[in-house]
Amino acid sequence: MKNIIKYKAMVLSCMDPRFQKPVHDYLKKQKLSGKYSSFTIAGAAIGVAHPKFKKWHSVFLDNLSTSIKLHKIKKLIVINHMDCAAAKMTKKKPLQNIDEIDIHKSCFRKLNKIMKKKFPYLKMEFNIFFLNKKIKKVKL
Ligand SMILES: [Zn+2]
C-alpha cells in the first residue's frame, strides 16, 4: 500500500453533538485535516481514564495502539469540553465550573500517567473547549 500522507496524531474527543463542529474547525485551523485518526467517546479523557468508565479504558488503548501501528502517529491530542455529561456522571452533586475543571485536569493527569507507561514516545496535548467555543491548552 502506498502511504505518502504523513499522519500526525490521534484525536481523543467527546461524543457530545455540540462539540463536533468546533473540534473539526479547530483541527482544520491547526492544518490537521486528513492527518489525524479519531477516537470519540463520552467524556474524552474522562471516558478513558476515570475509574467510573473502567470498561472503556482498554478499548481506547487498543485503538490507540492500532493507530500507532497503522498510521505511525506521534501525538495524542486530547480535547475535553465544559458542561460534559460524563464529568457530571462522576459526581452525585451538581457541579460548579471550577469543580468540573478539576475533574478534567485530574483525568488528564491520570491519562498522562498511563501514556508515559504504555506509549512513552507519544507526545501529549491536553485541551478544554469552553461553551463560548474557545479552546484552552492545559499544562499539567
Ligand atoms: Zn462530553
Side-chain angles (χ1 to χ4, degrees):
M1 195 176 81
K2 219 165 140 189
N3 186 1
I4 49 166
I5 299 169
K6 268 220 149 187
Y7 298 115
K8 302 277 186 200
M10 176 181 258
V11 174
L12 170 64
S13 61
C14 183
M15 67 177 189
D16 190 310
R18 294 171 295 170
F19 287 88
Q20 301 311 308
K21 191 175 186 304
V23 166
H24 179 263
D25 291 349
Y26 168 71
L27 294 165
K28 196 175 169 184
K29 237 176 161 177
Q30 304 295 308
K31 306 209 184 309
L32 285 170
S33 295
K35 293 179 181 166
Y36 63 91
S37 60
S38 183
F39 193 84
T40 302
I41 190 165
I46 297 169
V48 304
H50 195 282
K52 173 102 188 167
F53 306 102
K54 208 169 179 7
K55 280 187 195 161
W56 300 350
H57 298 183
S58 65
V59 178
F60 166 68
L61 292 174
D62 288 349
N63 276 266
L64 177 59
S65 165
T66 302
S67 191
I68 291 168
K69 278 185 209 128
L70 280 180
H71 314 126
K72 317 283 181 226
I73 55 156
K74 305 276 184 262
K75 192 175 185 181
L76 179 67
I77 299 172
V78 183
I79 306 178
N80 281 31
H81 70 90
M82 293 303 287
D83 196 38
C84 185
K88 287 171 191 157
M89 285 167 73
T90 67
K91 294 266 151 87
K92 286 191 180 110
K93 287 183 282 179
L95 293 174
Q96 301 293 351
N97 276 3
I98 187 72
D99 296 328
E100 184 174 350
I101 288 176
D102 284 347
I103 295 169
H104 292 295
K105 283 189 178 170
S106 100
C107 288
F108 288 164
R109 281 191 289 268
K110 275 193 192 110
L111 180 57
N112 196 48
K113 221 171 152 184
I114 296 166
M115 291 297 110
K116 287 268 171 302
K117 212 185 270 173
K118 301 230 176 210
F119 308 104
Y121 41 84
L122 206 64
K123 284 187 195 128
M124 301 291 299
E125 181 189 310
F126 297 98
N127 304 276
I128 300 176
F129 243 120
F130 288 80
L131 289 174
N132 63 6
K133 305 295 189 265
K134 287 214 160 67
I135 191 164
K136 226 176 130 181
K137 268 200 181 79
V138 176
K139 292 231 156 67
L140 299 186

